[in-house]
Amino acid sequence: MVCVEVEHLDKSFGGVAAISDLTFKVQEGIIFSVIGPNGAGKTTLFNLLTGLYRPSGGAIRIKGKDIRGLKPHEIASLGVTRTFQNLQVFMNMTVLENVMVGCHMRSRSGLIAGALRLPSVLREERRVREMAMEALEFCDMADLAGRDADSLAYGLLKKLEIARALAAAPGLLLMDEPAAGLNDTETLMMGRLIERICKRGTTVLLVEHNMGLVMGISHGVLVLNYGRLLAQGSPEEVQRNPEVIAAYLGDEG
Ligand SMILES: Nc1ncnc2c1ncn2[C@@H]1O[C@H](COP(=O)(O)OP(=O)(O)O)[C@@H](O)[C@H]1O
Ligand SMILES: [Mg+2]
């Protein structure tokens, strides 16, 4: 089964092409990485896939559904969730509350029912709390549920963002540089967490600069250069590709 299909995708900002004629497919149930130098268009691609940006041309299908013209929340309701390159954590809330925000996309009761505190809403809140706790447990953070987010070290804040994304029970998770700023041990643990996320049935689209992490856990890798596809294949194929070595991996030493 194909999870993501991108066809001849274009996105330009006032004449500057951030994504040019990009075509690729991501099978369901895998970890698929998008790599490339700064400015290659990786975050733009995520913004297109989540509906924050509208394509200038081309098509995107997620689980067979054409997402052109859909709003971000409509794409989210297809089971698409993301984490951000820059942390998006509510520092004035607890860890658990932060994760509960992620569940609210899944919750059924509306705002008015919520304001009236109907029994159905109270049940719903209990359910949301349970889902959030499950996501925290999955990320080995259950013991931190009551802590204020602003008391967490950076590495834990990165995991908190992932827990919140998982609370929405995504079928497709887009992760934008989850290992940025992490030390070697934390990066290893992040890799294991991403593998566990994939094993539980979530397709992962990963943007990441740490090549050890990318090549260690990805089933497929796509290399972007100036918004264009430079190469695509298994980690081994991509690492052997002379154009990739020249354009990108070579710079990394
Ligand atoms: N909202 C925007 N407005 C104008 N230019 C943008 C916008 N978003 C991205 N770009 C441009 O698109 C290109 C790709 O950026 P980006 O997707 O952030 O790259 P990456 O994530 O690979 O580092 C860059 O030249 C960037 O300046
Ligand atoms: Mg980026």
Side-chain angles (χ1 to χ4, degrees), residues 13 16 18 37-45 53 85:
F13 298 101
V16 178
N38 278 329
K42 305 179 298 294
T43 298
T44 300
L45 176 63
Y53 293 165
Q85 186 170 349

Side-chain angles (χ1 to χ4, degrees), residues 1-4 26-30 63-64 203:
M1 277 284 279
V2 178
C3 183
V4 180
V26 180
Q27 298 295 321
E28 235 164 52
I30 70 167
K63 291 176 190 164
T203 306

Side-chain angles (χ1 to χ4, degrees), residues 112-154:
I112 292 171
L116 296 174
R117 315 275 310 156
L118 300 177
S120 65
V121 175
L122 297 180
R123 266 200 309 279
E124 181 77 13
E125 251 184 45
R126 238 188 349 261
R127 204 172 69 88
V128 162
R129 197 169 284 270
E130 280 167 15
M131 292 189 301
M133 279 310 296
E134 275 169 33
L136 280 171
E137 270 157 33
F138 190 85
C139 295
D140 297 319
M141 292 181 73
D143 53 327
L144 302 174
R147 287 262 296 268
D148 290 331
D150 65 6
S151 72
L152 296 191
Y154 181 76

Side-chain angles (χ1 to χ4, degrees), residues 164-239:
R164 183 174 55 208
L166 291 177
L172 172 64
L173 177 60
L174 280 58
M175 306 177 91
D176 200 349
E177 304 201 18
L182 300 187
N183 65 34
D184 289 352
T185 313
E186 288 169 335
T187 300
L188 263 174
M189 300 300 284
M190 182 60 73
R192 297 219 182 105
L193 178 59
I194 296 169
E195 286 182 317
R196 283 171 50 229
I197 290 170
C198 177
K199 288 212 176 83
R200 73 168 215 167
T202 298
T203 306
V204 178
L205 219 61
L206 177 66
V207 161
E208 181 49 58
H209 281 295
N210 185 310
M211 285 306 113
L213 175 61
V214 166
M215 299 305 173
I217 66 171
S218 304
H219 303 100
V221 179
L222 182 155
V223 187
L224 270 186
N225 201 26
Y226 298 109
R228 290 181 180 278
L229 189 149
L230 182 71
Q232 196 186 354
S234 68
E236 296 73 26
E237 286 164 349
V238 164
Q239 278 171 297

